[in-house]
Amino acid sequence: MLTKHSMSPTLLDYNGARFKGEICGKWMSGRISVEDDGVYLCQNVVDGSDCKEKHGYRYSWFCGSGLFSDLPKYFVGGFRILGY
C-alpha cells in the first residue's frame, strides 16, 4: 500500500492503480482510469459515468479532477490506493 508521504495530492498520477473504498456507501475494489484530465473509479458495483478504459470492469464512477480532498463531493469515502 502506498503511504501518504509518497502520494500525489490528486489521482491523476495513478492511472491503472488498484484501489479500495466506498461509493455511495457500497464497498468495493477496482482500478483508477484517467481520461481527459478526469478521474474514474472502475469497478463492478456502482454504475455511474462512462469512460473508455475500464480496465476490464463493468462500471466507472467519475471523480472530477481526482483531488483527494474533493472525493467526498463525489460520494467516495474510505478511499485507499493499493498500488499498481
Side-chain angles (χ1 to χ4, degrees):
M1 189 176 324
L2 298 171
T3 66
K4 286 187 178 184
H5 299 292
S6 65
M7 293 177 66
S8 168
T10 74
L11 295 173
L12 292 172
D13 297 327
Y14 297 103
N15 189 39
R18 298 187 185 282
F19 76 89
K20 69 177 181 177
E22 65 175 283
I23 298 174
C24 297
K26 296 180 181 180
W27 284 95
M28 68 201 59
S29 62
R31 292 182 78 172
I32 298 166
S33 187
V34 177
E35 294 181 7
D36 301 323
D37 293 326
V39 174
Y40 297 83
L41 302 180
C42 302
Q43 33 70 40
N44 289 326
V45 180
V46 179
D47 195 2
S49 301
D50 205 20
C51 70
K52 295 174 190 167
E53 177 54 67
K54 293 187 192 111
H55 300 286
Y57 290 93
R58 186 177 311 145
Y59 305 122
S60 56
W61 186 264
F62 183 69
C63 292
S65 64
L67 284 171
F68 282 100
S69 59
D70 285 349
L71 290 178
K73 293 180 190 177
Y74 296 96
F75 308 101
V76 175
F79 187 84
R80 300 283 183 266
I81 294 176
L82 303 176
Y84 288 92

